[in-house]
Amino acid sequence: MLDLFTGCFEGGAYVCAGRKEGGFLQPRALLDRGGRILRLGQYWDDQKNEWTGVADSKHKEALGIGVAAVDWDADGDLDLLLGSNEGGLYLRKNAGSAAQPSFELDSAQLMAKGAPIHVPGGHLIPAVADWDGDGQFDLFSGSGAGGVWWWRNVGTKGAPKFAKERRLVADAIQGDSITEPKGPGQRTQVCPTDFDGDGDLDLLIGDYHSSPYVEGKPWEHHGYVWLVARNPAPAASGN
Amino acid sequence: MLQIGIAVIAGLAAAVGDGVLAPPVRLAAGETWIDTGEEIAHAGPSFHDLDGDGRRDLLVGNFAGTLAHYRNVGTAAAPKFEAKGFLAAEGAPIKIKNW
């Protein structure tokens, strides 16, 4: 059954659980095993109306905004990847089971080839899929600067390890039109998926375009969705 | 900022290498560009068969915390989308608190 996981700019992680009869339940905040809302190091405190640090977090600078679920350690339950607004990526392991998740109290920063994973311009929102068909899940993210990054999993099942990042899609085009853009804009979010059913993974990319902010003038926003097809079938020719 | 994770990871049967990536193509629903501008943008797409018809449908998150639902009215190989409003759960639109 499909569950929907999401992060948000407030800093929490949420799930809309799939229902046996179809559809979803309303979103509920994911909790760690201490009963706290599962966050990285910061969150927006509605009561105080300010950004607040998570007590005891080792990553106080990190605001979690993106979530992906994957069985990181191949123990049969879903662990969580948390991407930060600052551009880092973190793992929150599930020490429980698939039926009764129990997420650890803090996150571990993820590395690739000996350095912390980081995307330019921040805004790391993770995705997982097997891009190179080797049976191991790889990591993906867009970034504040736009584009799509890929980290190949060079580890083994249950012990993932990642190569240095590779760019799959270029950053946003400087000065691109916000109403008729030539390509994806900034703050990209990627969904690797076999869009055209041809057996390989394509990329769906969400983005952000806006007019310059000028006080007192309308501030125009757009968020488009793009397809970057991999090995697309040749377009039909003829008249 | 809203983004949907995939709960089940599906591997591919065959190694495909990097292959060739085509230039980006902007997606539309009918004659209208898919655009989360009115929800302060920050589009976050996800692609799943929500209605069990064998064709995957498009969900697009946004900064307002809702999920725009586009039903696939094309085929599995050539998806086409029809806007269906915002995804609901338990009789009310899904809305994530987003700052």
Side-chain angles (χ1 to χ4, degrees):
Chain A
M1 202 171 357
L2 179 75
D3 302 318
L4 303 176
F5 290 86
T6 177
C8 66
F9 199 65
E10 168 270 348
Y14 293 82
V15 63
C16 295
R19 305 172 69 185
K20 281 181 191 161
E21 59 272 38
F24 300 95
L25 297 176
Q26 280 287 323
R28 65 178 165 82
L30 291 165
L31 305 179
D32 66 23
R33 69 179 182 215
R36 300 188 306 185
I37 294 177
L38 202 150
R39 295 164 166 143
L40 275 175
Q42 297 182 51
Y43 66 100
W44 179 256
D45 188 322
D46 271 338
Q47 313 298 319
K48 296 180 183 168
N49 215 28
E50 63 184 20
W51 294 104
T52 302
V54 173
D56 306 326
S57 173
K58 295 195 300 279
H59 310 289
K60 286 202 183 297
E61 78 293 351
L63 169 65
I65 58 168
V67 178
V70 64
D71 186 0
W72 179 267
D73 46 9
D75 65 351
D77 59 36
L78 290 173
D79 308 291
L80 298 177
L81 300 177
L82 305 173
S84 83
N85 196 44
E86 296 72 29
L89 183 61
Y90 302 80
L91 169 67
R92 186 69 68 100
K93 272 194 178 176
N94 181 357
S97 65
Q100 288 191 307
S102 177
F103 294 103
E104 292 183 344
L105 298 177
D106 206 353
S107 310
Q109 186 159 24
L110 293 178
M111 316 282 280
K113 208 172 180 199
I117 286 176
H118 187 267
V119 291
H123 200 265
L124 194 153
I125 294 183
V128 285
D130 181 7
W131 182 249
D132 57 357
D134 66 354
Q136 310 289 338
F137 68 84
D138 305 308
L139 304 177
F140 301 75
S141 182
S143 83
V148 175
W149 296 93
W150 171 56
W151 293 263
R152 183 173 178 237
N153 186 346
V154 294
T156 56
K157 190 175 180 187
K161 192 176 161 188
F162 294 93
K164 188 174 165 55
E165 73 276 6
R166 279 184 50 189
R167 182 193 290 282
L168 296 180
V169 175
D171 284 353
I173 301 165
Q174 294 294 319
D176 204 3
S177 164
I178 67 168
T179 53
E180 292 300 331
K182 294 185 178 69
Q186 300 179 326
R187 302 182 195 172
T188 39
Q189 302 184 42
V190 62
C191 170
T193 185
D194 184 7
F195 185 81
D196 49 13
D198 66 354
D200 59 27
L201 289 176
D202 310 295
L203 301 172
L204 287 177
I205 304 168
D207 73 4
Y208 175 71
H209 297 262
S210 75
S211 60
Y213 176 73
V214 180
E215 195 170 349
K217 291 197 171 177
W219 192 14
E220 188 176 347
H221 305 278
H222 296 280
Y224 303 114
V225 178
W226 302 79
L227 168 67
V228 170
R230 189 186 198 183
N231 300 321
S237 59
N239 301 314
Chain B
M1 302 288 174
L2 199 62
Q3 186 259 357
I4 306 305
I6 302 170
V8 178
I9 310 308
L12 293 178
V16 291
D18 277 354
V20 175
L21 296 178
V25 174
R26 192 162 42 143
L27 298 186
E31 301 294 314
T32 305
W33 296 121
I34 291 171
D35 183 359
T36 58
E38 289 185 11
E39 291 78 37
I40 326 178
H42 298 83
S46 188
F47 197 50
H48 309 285
D49 181 5
L50 296 177
D51 52 12
D53 68 355
R55 297 173 291 187
R56 283 168 299 160
D57 309 296
L58 184 63
L59 288 176
V60 186
N62 58 60
F63 197 87
T66 54
L67 294 169
H69 175 201
Y70 297 91
R71 183 163 180 252
N72 184 352
V73 293
T75 64
K80 288 184 179 174
F81 298 108
E82 176 182 82
K84 300 296 285 183
F86 294 110
L87 189 68
E90 303 178 84
I94 290 173
K95 185 166 173 66
I96 311 287
K97 182 167 145 304
N98 197 33
W99 195 33

